[in-house]
């Protein structure tokens, strides 16, 4: 039920961090995986057979998806994991520029990838949009990220409606605090590290591998009747009231 054997998957944001782990894990579950990010190479080699392509998801991505579909026959799984978190900025012009760049990479680009993949997705296909707990709770000092991830959460539900009749499922995977480059600063800061740890029910940060089971579930036939759902993987962060 959880096997991805015979499926073709595209994972964006896969040169490192969460996207890398999901690409590698989805390949281990049997899929043919095409991993995309801007870096010329992934930071470290994949453990499983993964085809890596250097590309910017905020550029013209359509021809690359067409090429993948022509080479591999179709696209069964799309994981939109590419994302950026830009620092909060007091100065107006930089704040606006950061906001617009956040929306472009974190919201418009996943939609562009959905548009590019859809013509090649047979019934039974699955799209997973990596959102964030920042799509359901307010986090400080990053308005563009909050707006983009909240938007991606609702884009997921809208596309679940639009694509449902074609048998394509669209779900969101919402991580809590996971130790990657994106969170390296707060992980290294003893106070912030402890604050984030204590905000979970499980009293620990997440690892990239904590997301893999949920991703395989959403990608596989095990979730055949689930679409438009937010699967929150946050160690209980959003369940907890008093910290
Ligand atoms: N870490 C967390 O705690 C956390 C929590 C909630 C949600 N998330 C989400 O999870 C996803 C992955 O985050 P992460 O923590 O793994 O961050 P990360 O370590 O900074 O990795 C981000 C990935 O996205 C790629 N990327 C960025 N801009 C791109 C672009 N324009 N085109 C193609 N690829 C691009 C990066 O590769 P290149 O630089 O090589 O392009 C890299 O592979 C993001 O969507 C993030 O918002 C993370």
């Amino acid at each position: 039920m959880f096997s991805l054997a015979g499926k073709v998957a595209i994972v964006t944001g896969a040169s490192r961090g969460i996207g890398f782990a999901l690409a590698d894990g989805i390949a281990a579950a049997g899929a043919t995986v095409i991993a995309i990010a801007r870096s010329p190479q992934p930071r470290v080699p994949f453990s499983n057979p993964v085809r890596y392509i250097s590309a910017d998801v905020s550029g013209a991505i359509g021809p690359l998806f067409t090429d993948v579909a022509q080479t591999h026959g179709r696209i069964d799984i799309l994981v939109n994991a590419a994302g950026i978190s830009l620092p909060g900025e007091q100065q107006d012009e930089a704040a606006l520029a950061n906001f617009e760049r956040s929306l472009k990479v974190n919201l418009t680009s996943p939609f562009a990838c959905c548009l590019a993949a859809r013509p090649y997705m047979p019934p039974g296909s699955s799209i997973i949009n990596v959102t964030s707990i920042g799509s359901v709770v307010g986090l400080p000092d990053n308005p563009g990220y909050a707006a983009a991830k909240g938007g991606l959460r609702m884009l997921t539900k809208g596309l679940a409606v639009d694509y449902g009749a074609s048998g394509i499922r669209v779900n969101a995977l919402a991580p809590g605090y996971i130790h990657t480059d994106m969170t390296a600063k707060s992980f290294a800061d003893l106070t912030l590290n402890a604050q984030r740890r204590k905000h979970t029910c499980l009293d620990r940060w997440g690892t990239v591998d904590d997301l893999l089971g949920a991703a395989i579930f959403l990608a596989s036939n095990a979730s055949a009747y689930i679409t438009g759902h937010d699967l929150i993987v946050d160690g209980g962060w959003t369940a907890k009231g008093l910290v």
Side-chain angles (χ1 to χ4, degrees), residues 43-122:
R43 178 174 290 166
V44 295
F46 291 98
S47 305
N48 296 281
V50 171
R51 179 181 165 209
Y52 182 84
I53 301 176
S54 173
D56 185 338
V57 293
S58 67
I61 203 74
L64 191 154
F65 276 59
T66 299
D67 182 57
V68 167
Q70 280 169 355
T71 305
H72 299 281
R74 63 192 188 282
I75 301 167
D76 301 291
I77 298 162
L78 167 63
V79 181
N80 283 312
I84 53 170
S85 172
L86 300 174
E89 226 355 298
Q90 298 308 316
Q91 202 261 331
D92 283 355
E93 242 173 65
L96 262 186
N98 280 356
F99 190 87
E100 285 175 350
R101 182 69 189 154
S102 291
L103 289 186
K104 175 80 177 168
V105 176
N106 295 337
L107 179 56
T108 307
S109 297
F111 180 49
C113 289
C114 291
L115 288 176
R118 189 190 181 187
Y120 308 110
M121 298 191 100

Side-chain angles (χ1 to χ4, degrees), residues 22 48 56 112 154 186 215 227:
L22 297 187
N48 296 281
D56 185 338
M154 283 313 300
S186 45
T227 193

Side-chain angles (χ1 to χ4, degrees), residues 13 15-16 18 38-39 56-57 81 130-131 145 149 176 178 180 183:
S15 61
R16 59 177 187 272
I18 291 170
R38 293 164 304 174
S39 303
D56 185 338
V57 293
V130 178
T131 57
Y145 189 83
K149 292 299 186 179
I178 311 293
T180 66
T183 52

Side-chain angles (χ1 to χ4, degrees), residues 120-144:
Y120 308 110
M121 298 191 100
S125 296
S126 170
I127 296 174
I128 302 171
N129 291 320
V130 178
T131 57
S132 165
I133 53 171
S135 70
V136 289
V137 296
L139 298 173
D141 205 28
N142 212 334

